[in-house]
């Protein structure tokens, strides 16, 4: 089932598999379309997957790349059972998909792997991106691994950790005075003037396909079964909608059985155009000006907003938003019950999971997967002030005194 064409999501006009992303007829977004899969043999597909590398390239049969390759690798991250968090939330079966365990510590290594492999096939020697932070890390790293020139455009108010963890790779790092939506507008203009592969602009149809591998892994790691419910964050809505597309593709070829999971989307209140549209029953998003600690999700004008709304509704899910304080609590809750330290985006996901549990939306016999997309060391500021280290002199007496003081305090509390 090799990819056949780029196809407009709205009017279905087809285009060759080039670096393009928008329909010339109706300005709708383009996506990769594959040949007829109805005659595929699921046993053979499964054998090919299981014989593949322990990376996202084990799903090459479902990706728009002729020569699967990446110098850095990505994917095959842990899916861990989270019984203590489940008990804390009062739900049955909970799994955490920990995509912080990627080479540059976020799920963006997946989308960049696919976009970059396709860009090389198309002959590009320079890659670029408009980033909310994690994409900058991934593009800079994968470009240096592949020996390509790169240009990375970021809003100038990004977390210091993400700036440092990008510049170190020797990319052309461009801090733009503005928010992500300004950066994106600038890059869209530049993509018309330079022969560069902007991974999330002119390469966006290929980039988006990379997110499917996260869902393929979840299904494979559950023994080729589907979860009942998925909780995932929404920035542009690409990840959220492509997770569902991946499950639908595997249902279609018979690699898994059952029905599409319920899809819960997670946003930060300070940037929640999709959650607001969901709450108001609209099928389009009103752009907002982001103001949240969840900078990796701070897209005020989400490209895939309408498709995310459609998915939430047709899967029986919802899209919820949580406050910055709830996000910080979510980060702490996940860390203290699972040993996984996530960035603000994962705090958003965990806080929405908690909200769903409190609202009674999650059935007792459901198998739930929460998608943790990034690493806590990239948003360290959120941990500051949440605890205090014991300060002692270097002798045993000092330790025992401090210990007793702590016990007394705990006893009184
Ligand atoms: C980019 C990103 C997302 C989601 O992005 P989409 O644009 O919705 O695909 C989620 N979490 C993290 C940490 C990210 O960097
Ligand atoms: Zn069209």
């Amino acid at each position: 089932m090799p990819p056949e064409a780029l196809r407009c999501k709205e009017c279905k006009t087809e285009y060759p598999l080039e670096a393009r992303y928008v329909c010339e007829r109706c300005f709708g977004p383009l996506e990769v379309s594959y040949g007829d899969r109805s005659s595929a043999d699921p046993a053979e597909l499964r054998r090919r997957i299981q014989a593949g590398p322990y990376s996202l390239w084990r799903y090459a049969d479902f990706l728009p790349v002729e020569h699967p390759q990446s110098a850095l690798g990505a994917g095959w991250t842990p899916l861990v059972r989270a019984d203590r968090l489940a008990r804390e939330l009062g739900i049955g079966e909970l799994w955490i998909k920990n995509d912080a365990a990627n080479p540059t510590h976020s799920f963006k290594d997946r989308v960049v792997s696919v976009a970059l492999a396709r860009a090389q096939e198309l002959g590009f020697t320079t890659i670029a991106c408009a980033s909310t932070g994690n994409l900058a890390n991934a593009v800079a790293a994968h470009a240096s691994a592949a020996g390509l020139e790169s240009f990375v455009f970021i809003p100038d108010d990004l977390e210091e950790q993400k700036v440092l963890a990008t510049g170190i790779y020797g990319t052309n790092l461009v801090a733009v005075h503005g928010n992500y939506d300004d950066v994106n507008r600038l890059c869209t203009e530049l993509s018309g003037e330079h022969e560069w592969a902007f991974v999330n602009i002119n390469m966006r149809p290929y980039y988006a396909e990379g997110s499917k591998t996260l869902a393929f892994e979840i299904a494979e790691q559950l023994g080729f079964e589907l979860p009942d419910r998925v909780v995932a964050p929404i920035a542009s809505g690409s990840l959220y909608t492509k997770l569902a597309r991946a499950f639908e593709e595997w249902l279609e070829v018979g690699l898994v059985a059952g029905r599409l999971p319920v899809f819960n989307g997670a946003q930060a209140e300070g940037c929640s155009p999709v959650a607001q549209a969901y709450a108001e029953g609209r099928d389009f998003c009103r752009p907002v000006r982001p103001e949240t600690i969840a900078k990796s999700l701070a897209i005020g004008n989400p490209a895939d907003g309408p498709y995310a709304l459609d998915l939430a509704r047709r899967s029986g899910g919802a899209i919820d938003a949580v406050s910055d304080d709830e996000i910080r609590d979510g980060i702490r809750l996940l860390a203290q019950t699972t040993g996984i330290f996530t960035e603000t985006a994962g705090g958003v996901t965990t806080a929405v999971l908690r909200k769903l549990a409190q609202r009674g939306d999650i059935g007792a016999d459901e198998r739930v997967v929460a998608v943790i997309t990034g690493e806590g060391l990239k948003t360290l500021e959120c941990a500051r002030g949440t605890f205090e280290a014991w300060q002692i002199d270097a002798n045993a007496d000092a330790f025992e005194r401090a210990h007793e003081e702590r016990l007394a305090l705990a006893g009184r509390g």
Side-chain angles (χ1 to χ4, degrees):
M1 303 147 298
E4 277 190 342
L6 294 178
R7 185 195 290 154
C8 174
K9 283 173 95 160
E10 295 300 325
C11 76
K12 313 298 175 197
T13 302
E14 294 198 346
Y15 299 87
L17 289 157
E18 299 166 345
R20 53 165 82 219
Y21 63 107
V22 67
C23 178
E24 287 170 5
R25 280 218 186 140
C26 76
F27 300 105
L30 304 185
E31 67 178 349
V32 178
S33 78
Y34 295 83
D36 181 16
R37 289 201 168 101
S38 53
S39 61
D41 173 6
E44 169 65 7
L45 280 173
R46 182 165 165 163
R47 197 196 55 72
R48 286 170 58 90
I49 291 167
Q50 289 174 326
Y54 287 102
S55 77
L56 84 175
W57 297 120
R58 64 199 279 108
Y59 309 108
D61 285 342
F62 298 85
L63 296 172
V65 173
E66 283 161 46
H67 309 287
Q69 52 160 335
S70 41
L72 202 49
W76 203 249
T77 59
L79 179 74
V80 297
R81 179 96 187 225
D83 286 335
R84 293 187 56 237
L85 177 54
R87 225 173 299 132
E88 179 83 22
L89 297 175
I91 61 178
E93 183 180 339
L94 176 62
W95 297 81
I96 302 294
K97 179 61 170 168
N98 183 13
D99 240 28
N102 266 309
T104 70
H105 317 289
S106 87
F107 101 95
K108 290 296 198 299
D109 287 311
R110 298 178 185 276
V111 288
V112 170
S113 294
V114 175
L116 191 137
R118 185 64 192 148
Q120 287 178 291
E121 287 175 358
L122 291 172
F124 287 98
T125 54
T126 301
I127 64 167
C129 70
S131 175
T132 57
N134 286 314
L135 188 57
N137 289 181
V139 164
H142 287 255
S144 85
L148 300 175
E149 175 116 40
S150 63
F151 287 81
V152 164
F153 296 81
I154 54 172
D156 65 352
D157 69 341
L158 218 53
E159 297 95 342
E160 189 185 19
Q161 291 88 3
K162 284 182 185 163
V163 177
L164 294 174
T166 299
I168 195 72
Y169 297 110
T171 184
N172 298 290
L173 180 60
V174 187
V176 178
H177 305 309
N179 61 29
Y180 172 79
D181 298 285
D182 299 318
V183 175
N184 191 45
R185 215 176 313 114
L186 168 64
C187 287
T188 302
E189 193 182 329
L190 292 177
S191 75
E193 289 162 20
H194 294 268
E195 285 294 310
W196 298 347
F198 275 88
V199 297
N200 57 337
I201 300 178
N202 53 355
M203 298 301 291
R204 190 170 179 83
Y206 310 100
Y207 162 100
E209 291 288 290
S211 287
K212 295 193 309 191
T213 61
L214 211 165
F216 293 149
E217 282 175 25
I218 291 171
E220 185 179 357
Q221 288 167 324
L222 290 173
F224 288 89
E225 287 184 13
L226 294 183
D228 299 304
R229 182 185 296 272
V230 173
V231 186
I234 295 176
S236 72
S238 177
L239 166 68
Y240 179 72
T241 50
K242 284 293 178 175
L243 293 174
R245 170 57 61 86
F247 290 140
E248 285 168 343
E249 286 183 2
W250 275 22
L251 282 164
E252 198 184 312
V253 297
L255 270 168
V256 293
R259 56 177 294 255
L260 184 68
V262 172
F263 269 82
N264 284 102
Q267 292 210 292
E269 270 173 16
C271 182
S272 53
V274 196
Q276 282 172 28
Y278 179 84
E280 292 165 17
R282 277 185 277 118
D283 58 7
F284 62 93
C285 297
R286 287 211 183 92
V288 302
R289 181 166 283 276
E291 192 63 66
T292 171
I293 59 169
K295 293 184 198 282
S296 55
L297 302 180
I299 297 183
N301 190 9
D304 291 301
Y307 307 109
L309 288 163
D310 175 62
L311 173 61
R313 290 180 179 128
R314 71 186 162 87
S315 71
I319 298 170
D320 282 275
V322 288
S323 70
D324 283 359
D325 281 342
E326 290 174 305
I327 295 167
R328 287 189 195 90
D329 287 347
I331 293 172
R332 213 175 315 129
L333 176 64
L334 187 72
Q336 296 183 1
T337 56
T338 68
I340 295 169
F341 179 28
T342 185
E343 69 147 81
T344 44
V348 170
T349 302
T350 307
V352 165
L353 175 68
R354 165 143 68 182
K355 189 170 256 190
L356 297 172
Q358 284 169 347
R359 209 156 64 197
D361 282 10
I362 301 177
D365 56 354
E366 278 187 30
R367 174 190 275 174
V368 181
V369 174
V371 179
I372 296 303
T373 47
E375 162 65 47
L377 292 174
K378 292 200 201 182
T379 59
L380 268 181
E381 226 19 73
C382 297
R384 202 181 301 283
T386 61
F387 61 89
E388 225 175 284
W390 306 12
Q391 301 289 342
I392 64 165
D393 292 330
N395 63 72
D397 276 353
F399 170 76
E400 297 303 346
R401 253 196 327 276
H403 195 190
E404 270 163 34
E405 274 170 32
R406 290 269 163 160
L407 289 174
L409 272 175
R412 253 187 281 137

